[in-house]
Amino acid sequence: MRSLTRIEAAGRSALLSVRSYHVDLDLTTGPSIFRSTTTIAFDATDPDETTFLDIKPETLHSAYLNGRPLDVGALSDGRLPLTGLAARNEIVVTADMRYSRECEGMHRYVDPADGQVYLYTFVYVDNAPRVFACFDQPDLKAPYTFTATVPDDWTVLGTSAAVKTGPGRWELAETPPQATYLTALAAGPYASFHTEHGGTTLGLHCRASLRDSLAPDVDEVFEITGQCLDACGRLFGVEYPFGKFDQLFAPEFSVLSLDHPGLVLLRELYLFSSAAAVSERETRAVVLAHGISLMWMAGLVTNRWWDDLWLGQAFADYLAHRVSSEATRFPGPPTTFAVRRKAQAYVADQRPSTHPISLEGPDVQTVLLEMDRISYFKGHSALRQLAARVGDDALRAGLRIYFERHAYGSATFSDFMAALSTAVGTDLSGWADKWLKSANVNTLWPEITIADGRVRTAAICQSAPDTHATLRPHTLDVGLYGPGEARTTLRVQVEGDRRPLPELAGRPAPSLLLLNDGDLTYAKVRFDAASLAALPDLLPTLAPINRAMVWCALLLGVQDGVFPPADHLALVCRMIAVETEPSILAEVLEQARDDVADRFLLPEERPAALDRIAESLRERLARTGAGDERQITLFRALIGSTAEARELRGWLAGTGLPAGLTLDADLAWRVRYRLAVLGALTEAEISAAYDADPTSDSEQFATKCRAARPDPAAKEAAWNAIINDTGLSSYTLWALAEGFWQPEQDELTAPYVERFFATMPEAAERRGDLVLDVLLRFLYPRYAATIETLELAGAMLAREDVPLPLHRRVTDFTDDLRRVAEARDRQVRRTTAMSR
């Protein structure tokens, strides 16, 4: 489909102002198609001009402009030309639309547990025309009224209050002005819970088969929701602006959340049907806070064009971690961010597709390709750095000015910076240019000389890659630890490539000099030799935020080839024995397995390394009491690390489990998945386990287990389904891809490396961009770190028929693989040199 350009949007915005939408949906017309009738009232400043309406139907039945029929055959590339406009206009469009299985337009899901049907719209960026006719751009905001016909036992939800007006007939109240991509409607036999908070009706909804899973957590979710609504209201100086607030756990959802005014859609990942680790509950609180902050940062003030979409999302991520840590029972989100999401931003920022936080896209598709971990997580980090630079009071004042000036309208990043500059009393454009309009990441490291046990000279050095040579201003703390229990922090401003630290001259030589103490800035941090030697003993004594920051720095060191993977894993074994922070345990253990052991470590060293980690986990679990919030995290890591099939089968039989731990459905499937990878689980056992509990979670686990079995027939069946079966749901597709490649099965899957690069250009054309993006994360042959793989990737990328989204992701993942290959080569050369 043709993508709307910024120039086209500006022209249409200058010509049109939209007064209202009325969208009537008939959702009873069958399993494939629904009927959509849209009435739009709009004005035109120049009736002699022509424009177009956006609609992507299965069949366009009719379109009447001011009572005059339009030629529906003129529809092309999702655009219906509009000519003969009046000063005031009304257009009525009737069309049949197709349901989606890939979260494009109206998603339709059939619950395998009971056969019930559930619908919800996914109109985020470019998908609203798959549900209703519209002028699909963010600055043409207008009030909406939705009506819907559904089966009589269904519930309908939307961005405004919904009322049942007759058998199977629902009407939603008119909304405040909102953008097309912020509209939402859901329908089905959803189970619902309600409460009141400060005069706002709160709702929680899920499919009926999961009611018993949601019910125990309703009070917790409502409590966090109320706390975050109050905190955001205080921060922004504006009470929650949309009357009611519903949160729906959407089945088969492709993203973590979609945050429409008054109705947030959440992935069912955050609806815990089994025992959840405290780190998972913390993550859910962060996701809830993210959606709540966007009620203001996107709903109340909407970006004028898509290249400012990053601002709301980056602020939402920053505020989600801050608000949830300050207002809820979870103190750890900033620590979790430092060890998890920030690490993901650093990786993305060093890939070939790196880009500035502030986007500049000529059309919608280009902007969407660049809405990634840089936009969200580096953007979050830049805003945290901004708060450190200007202070919280100035940041809060700037936000309030911004909302006072632009409430219920649209605005640009320049408008935001103008508000903040007013609050601060100085022009921040220079800071913004270096932080928001330049790409890649700086590296900071200390230079320190010691004489007679005292600091003689010290400095902070900064570098940038040759291809992105911007040196940014950094506000950061320098931490000095030891000798003994001494600890001092020093706030400094780093400008340019070297910042002397005369403040340290004459002080006792620290055991550990820690740059970016408190994780205030965004930069790769290196350690001097003495500090690196002291880390194993001092790391457990640091504050959680600093332990998280150090683990992130060490992982980046592994990826850059300056910290040996074996040393990282040895430190992980020591960490397992003493770490108390649940999120650090969860993230470092996952990184140690998925990144370091599975990829960067030499393959022949992997089994022994995993054995050492597994033994460390067994020892920690043996002294972890029943009910300890860390027990689930440790046990999950042990499942993924052990190669002992007898141990795994014992757990399935209920023997040898840690004291007080119950093997619930989730843990049992994790055990089966590990057995499948090891070749110790049969197809019959997979089928029997699913038949005993035919839920959607079981369906995905069973699919993943089948793809993971080291059986040639199982691999071929999984591959053919991934490449050729367009009828698969996105979740089934991803489960197959996630299970397919296994480090233990390199020899078996080696022929599929070449097949991946040969077949993906054609296969990619059959998938939507959103589904394809997640698919490639799993299906790229990430363990095959050989020259042959890099050459195959290069040959594919040279082809002219490679779709842009595929080209971009394969380019990035190939660069990641090149890093793995180079790191492994360094290890070989290091081992060879040591043996001489």
Side-chain angles (χ1 to χ4, degrees):
M1 288 289 184
R2 189 174 174 186
S3 189
L4 182 71
T5 69
R6 184 171 190 160
I7 293 173
E8 289 172 329
R12 193 160 63 174
S13 181
L15 176 65
L16 305 179
S17 60
V18 185
R19 286 181 279 117
S20 66
Y21 282 85
H22 181 274
V23 181
D24 183 74
L25 302 175
D26 186 348
L27 306 176
T28 64
T29 55
S32 301
I33 300 295
F34 65 95
R35 176 65 58 88
S36 172
T37 302
T38 307
T39 302
I40 311 172
F42 65 98
D43 298 336
T45 57
D46 185 352
D48 292 331
E49 286 289 330
T50 62
T51 188
F52 57 91
L53 189 71
D54 301 302
I55 183 167
K56 300 174 182 177
E58 181 71 11
T59 304
L60 179 57
H61 292 294
S62 64
Y64 289 87
L65 177 61
N66 301 325
R68 172 174 55 88
L70 299 180
D71 177 11
V72 297
L75 177 68
S76 177
D77 264 346
R79 297 180 174 189
L80 181 66
L82 300 183
T83 59
L85 299 175
R88 292 177 69 82
N89 301 273
E90 181 181 87
I91 187 168
V92 181
V93 180
T94 301
D96 284 341
M97 304 294 199
R98 180 166 291 278
Y99 289 116
S100 170
R101 291 298 305 276
E102 295 190 353
C103 283
E104 294 180 337
M106 182 74 76
H107 192 91
R108 184 178 189 273
Y109 173 80
V110 181
D111 191 341
D114 56 17
Q116 297 275 24
V117 174
Y118 295 90
L119 309 175
Y120 55 85
T121 56
F122 194 108
V123 300
Y124 179 76
V125 189
D126 250 359
N127 282 314
R130 300 180 189 274
V131 178
F132 57 90
C134 57
F135 300 108
D136 191 23
Q137 57 189 76
D139 58 339
L140 288 178
K141 297 175 74 170
Y144 282 78
T145 303
F146 280 86
T147 53
T149 302
V150 299
D152 195 42
D153 61 338
W154 283 18
T155 295
V156 174
L157 301 166
T159 54
S160 57
V163 177
K164 190 173 184 179
T165 59
R169 189 67 179 163
W170 291 73
E171 182 172 335
L172 283 71
E174 184 178 75
T175 70
Q178 62 187 39
T180 48
Y181 81 96
L182 292 174
T183 62
L185 185 137
Y190 288 103
S192 298
F193 303 84
H194 294 93
T195 192
E196 293 284 327
H197 179 81
T200 299
T201 299
L202 306 183
L204 279 178
H205 314 271
C206 67
R207 50 192 163 106
S209 65
L210 295 179
R211 181 187 181 92
D212 291 344
S213 298
L214 177 57
D217 283 354
V218 164
D219 289 344
E220 177 180 311
V221 174
F222 276 148
E223 179 183 45
I224 292 169
T225 299
Q227 290 167 334
C228 293
L229 285 170
D230 292 344
C232 286
R234 291 191 298 269
L235 178 64
F236 298 138
V238 180
E239 292 300 313
Y240 174 68
F242 296 111
K244 63 93 179 177
F245 186 68
D246 286 302
Q247 295 171 106
L248 168 68
F249 291 94
E252 213 169 61
F253 202 46
S254 292
V255 296
L256 299 184
S257 68
L258 272 183
D259 312 297
H260 321 90
L263 177 59
V264 172
L265 304 185
L266 300 163
R267 198 170 186 176
E268 288 182 344
L269 173 69
Y270 305 115
L271 199 165
F272 305 128
S273 57
S274 296
V278 66
S279 59
E280 292 173 308
R281 293 186 177 276
E282 176 198 282
T283 297
R284 182 171 67 186
V286 171
V287 172
L288 295 177
H290 181 104
I292 289 166
S293 67
L294 281 170
M295 300 300 101
W296 285 263
M297 292 302 302
L300 185 58
V301 180
T302 306
N303 49 281
R304 193 163 297 161
W305 175 246
W306 301 115
D307 56 6
D308 285 329
L309 191 63
W310 71 269
L311 177 62
Q313 296 297 339
F315 242 113
D317 201 70
Y318 167 64
L319 293 174
H321 288 79
R322 176 173 175 170
V323 166
S324 58
S325 66
E326 294 174 354
T328 78
R329 71 179 178 89
F330 298 100
T335 297
T336 306
F337 177 82
V339 73
R340 178 202 295 171
R341 293 189 169 187
K342 203 170 185 181
Q344 295 172 5
Y346 288 132
V347 171
D349 206 12
Q350 297 176 86
R351 287 171 169 165
S353 66
T354 186
H355 55 79
I357 298 169
S358 179
L359 305 176
E360 292 185 6
D363 56 42
V364 176
Q365 184 184 45
T366 303
V367 173
L368 279 183
L369 280 173
E370 295 192 347
M371 275 299 296
D372 56 16
R373 287 171 171 81
I374 295 171
S375 310
Y376 283 75
F377 306 152
K378 183 181 179 181
H380 166 159
S381 303
L383 293 171
R384 179 175 169 85
Q385 170 66 186
L386 178 62
R389 189 175 187 86
V390 305
D392 280 346
D393 290 344
L395 181 64
R396 184 179 296 108
L399 286 167
R400 294 186 174 201
I401 293 169
Y402 179 66
F403 287 115
E404 287 170 3
R405 291 176 178 176
H406 304 290
Y408 297 104
S410 59
T412 65
F413 171 64
S414 296
D415 294 325
F416 173 77
M417 289 305 296
L420 190 59
S421 294
T422 299
V424 175
T426 187
D427 183 8
L428 293 170
S429 58
W431 180 93
D433 284 346
K434 289 187 175 181
W435 269 98
L436 306 175
K437 297 184 179 181
S438 66
N440 218 289
V441 57
N442 298 142
T443 300
L444 302 176
W445 71 95
E447 284 185 353
I448 185 168
T449 59
I450 305 297
D452 299 324
R454 293 189 174 273
V455 177
R456 182 176 180 184
T457 63
I460 300 174
C461 301
Q462 178 181 193
S463 67
D466 293 340
T467 52
H468 301 279
T470 300
L471 296 177
R472 300 184 180 94
H474 295 270
T475 301
L476 67 132
D477 286 345
V478 178
L480 307 172
Y481 294 83
E485 297 183 358
R487 174 182 179 269
T488 304
T489 58
L490 177 71
R491 177 67 57 89
V492 299
Q493 303 284 340
V494 176
E495 307 273 352
D497 62 358
R498 193 171 190 277
R499 200 280 195 188
L501 295 172
E503 303 95 329
L504 302 190
R507 290 176 179 255
S511 301
L512 169 65
L513 191 157
L514 186 62
L515 299 185
N516 201 21
D517 193 288
D519 199 41
L520 296 179
T521 197
Y522 174 88
K524 293 196 288 187
V525 171
R526 305 296 193 217
F527 302 91
D528 64 278
S531 295
L532 196 60
L535 262 183
D537 292 325
L538 289 181
L539 183 56
T541 71
L542 302 179
I545 188 71
N546 285 328
R547 299 202 300 274
M549 188 272 293
V550 168
W551 278 113
C552 181
L554 294 176
L555 180 63
L556 293 171
V558 171
Q559 294 166 351
D560 289 347
V562 299
F563 190 63
D567 291 0
H568 181 281
L569 296 177
L571 200 56
V572 168
C573 288
R574 295 184 60 158
M575 180 275 297
I576 291 170
V578 297
E579 180 57 62
T580 58
E581 186 68 25
S583 63
I584 295 178
L585 266 177
E587 297 309 319
V588 172
L589 286 169
E590 183 176 319
Q591 292 164 359
R593 167 65 195 269
D594 294 349
D595 289 310
V596 183
D598 285 0
R599 299 172 65 230
F600 284 91
L601 190 67
L602 291 174
E604 59 269 25
E605 296 179 9
R606 179 178 177 272
L610 289 182
D611 283 346
R612 289 190 290 271
I613 290 174
E615 188 55 35
S616 298
L617 289 164
R618 292 186 191 99
E619 292 173 2
R620 176 71 183 270
L621 279 164
R623 52 188 176 81
T624 299
D628 190 307
E629 61 187 9
R630 294 167 283 263
Q631 190 180 52
I632 293 175
T633 297
L634 293 164
F635 187 63
R636 287 177 179 174
L638 178 56
I639 292 170
S641 300
T642 183
E644 298 294 330
R646 179 178 296 180
E647 181 178 44
L648 292 160
R649 286 210 167 273
W651 294 335
L652 276 183
T655 61
L657 290 167
L661 187 69
T662 300
L663 196 76
D664 59 23
D666 176 76
L667 289 175
W669 273 114
R670 290 172 185 263
V671 171
R672 292 187 192 101
Y673 180 55
R674 184 62 179 153
L675 284 168
V677 171
L678 297 173
L681 190 71
T682 67
E683 168 60 34
E685 290 175 305
I686 297 171
S687 296
Y690 173 71
D691 291 342
D693 182 30
T695 64
S696 57
D697 286 346
S698 294
E699 183 179 40
Q700 303 313 315
F701 263 119
T703 300
K704 191 163 68 166
C705 286
R706 290 187 175 101
R709 293 179 62 231
D711 174 73
K715 293 297 182 187
E716 186 65 24
W719 185 264
N720 285 332
I722 292 167
I723 299 299
N724 299 314
D725 191 347
T726 58
L728 294 176
S729 74
S730 55
Y731 274 31
T732 300
L733 182 72
W734 297 337
L736 287 167
E738 186 175 2
F740 189 85
W741 303 105
Q742 301 292 338
E744 294 89 343
Q745 300 168 7
D746 275 352
E747 184 175 345
L748 174 62
T749 56
Y752 291 93
V753 175
E754 184 174 359
R755 290 175 68 176
F756 172 87
F757 294 107
T759 59
M760 275 313 297
E762 181 181 355
E765 296 284 4
R766 298 192 287 269
R767 306 292 179 188
D769 289 351
L770 185 64
V771 170
L772 178 66
D773 186 65
V774 180
L775 173 64
L776 290 172
R777 289 186 217 166
F778 297 129
L779 195 60
Y780 185 92
R782 58 195 179 278
Y783 305 126
T786 65
I787 293 175
E788 291 76 15
T789 305
L790 298 176
E791 290 174 346
L792 288 168
M796 191 205 84
L797 293 170
R799 291 171 53 176
E800 295 182 357
D801 63 338
V802 178
L804 178 60
L806 174 63
H807 193 284
R808 183 187 181 95
R809 295 305 177 217
V810 169
T811 298
D812 284 346
F813 295 150
T814 301
D815 191 66
D816 292 349
L817 198 68
R818 175 189 55 77
R819 285 174 174 268
V820 173
E822 290 174 352
R824 289 181 180 180
D825 183 61
R826 288 190 190 95
Q827 293 170 74
V828 170
R829 286 188 277 109
R830 181 185 180 203
T831 301
T832 302
M834 292 175 62
S835 65
R836 289 176 180 170

